[in-house]
Amino acid sequence: MLLSCCHSRRWAERVAAHRPYPTVDALLAAADEAGYDLSRADLDEALAAESSALPHPDAPPAARTALRAAHAAYESSFGHAFVISLDGVRPGERLDQVLAGIRSRLGNEAEEERVVAADELRRLARARLAFRLAESLTPRHSAP
């Protein structure tokens, strides 16, 4: 389950090594801390497993085309998928947020972008972990 949140084996091992956690907040704090300790190779491993987000199928064709072109330019420049945490962004604003993020980050130098991508990956891992925890803690109602 941890590897589905961040595809770094080292990250998952570090988070798992300190369980059980007394609270969800303690687990999320440990996930953040493990994200800050990723080596270059760990970050490369995690980024290699990420894929570019697809636009909603209802997005206009021009928006889908723009997003595909932006992702291609980013991947060509940096060698990995564009990662951005959209936690807290309303669904109707996500496409604009992704396009704006790619456009602004395309101007980054490679090392600057690694730092930004690492931060976004930490935020993504935290949001994914929180989501999976919420899913597992939500009571499932079975049919009688």
Side-chain angles (χ1 to χ4, degrees), residues 11 14-15 18 27-38 122:
W11 179 88
R14 291 211 44 207
V15 174
H18 299 288
L27 171 58
L28 295 175
D32 285 342
E33 183 178 330
Y36 283 109
D37 291 339
L38 293 180
R122 278 189 293 278

Side-chain angles (χ1 to χ4, degrees), residues 80-99:
H80 59 81
F82 176 75
V83 291
I84 187 170
S85 174
L86 297 172
D87 197 32
V89 177
R90 291 187 296 225
E93 298 172 356
R94 290 181 178 193
L95 179 61
D96 290 338
Q97 189 77 20
V98 170
L99 282 170

Side-chain angles (χ1 to χ4, degrees), residues 43-52 70-83 106 110 113-114 117:
L43 181 58
D44 287 344
E45 175 187 32
L47 289 172
E50 293 293 329
S51 59
S52 298
H71 278 299
Y74 181 90
E75 290 173 20
S76 175
S77 292
F78 299 110
H80 59 81
F82 176 75
V83 291
L106 273 171
E113 182 53 26
R114 283 186 73 73

